[in-house]
């Protein structure tokens, strides 16, 4: 059961739950980056969310603003040190 505040609340279930009982891909709404953050070694999405939003649970907003990354871990991979990621507003 999903919380009423869950970002997955309106995500459709797969049509045949006997085959795969789960949710389909969550649609990503607008998430325009407004701050450029240069990645440094040791950065973590939850820490960046805490710094910019004062809520470490909003790390997914940063991931949504950088759609070229499909995996949260790859956003702050060691190869990203010195590169810029976008930080969006807390909500749009």
């Amino acid at each position: 059961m999903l919380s009423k505040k869950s970002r997955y609340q309106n995500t459709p279930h797969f049509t045949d739950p006997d085959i795969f009982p789960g949710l389909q891909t969550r649609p990503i709404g607008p998430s325009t980056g407004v701050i450029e953050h240069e990645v440094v070694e040791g950065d973590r999405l939850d820490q960046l969310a805490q710094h910019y939003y004062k809520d470490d649970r909003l790390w997914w907003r940063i991931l949504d603003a950088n759609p070229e990354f499909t995996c949260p871990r790859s956003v702050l991979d060691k190869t990203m040190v010195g590169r810029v990621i976008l930080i969006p507003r807390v909500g749009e």
Side-chain angles (χ1 to χ4, degrees):
M1 177 114 128
L2 297 172
S3 144
K4 290 180 181 179
K5 295 181 179 180
S6 173
R7 65 184 179 272
Y8 296 95
Q9 183 64 31
N10 296 320
T11 304
H13 289 265
F14 283 103
T15 54
D16 190 346
D18 294 330
I19 295 174
F20 189 84
L23 299 174
Q24 295 181 21
T25 304
R26 173 181 66 88
I28 297 176
S31 188
T32 309
V34 294
I35 296 173
E36 293 182 345
H37 173 84
E38 185 175 332
V39 176
V40 297
E41 192 167 346
D43 272 350
R44 290 186 359 213
L45 288 175
D46 62 331
Q47 291 173 336
L48 292 177
Q50 180 64 38
H51 174 75
Y52 289 109
Y53 307 136
K54 306 294 186 246
D55 187 345
D56 62 348
R57 296 170 297 169
L58 294 175
W59 61 268
W60 57 272
R61 291 287 299 151
I62 299 168
L63 189 61
D64 285 357
N66 296 275
E68 65 273 20
F69 300 102
T70 55
C71 175
R73 182 175 267 176
S74 62
V75 177
L76 301 176
D77 188 284
K78 287 185 179 189
T79 62
M80 289 295 296
V81 172
R83 293 184 56 195
V84 172
I85 60 172
L86 299 174
I87 308 294
R89 289 183 177 88
V90 72
E92 287 185 69

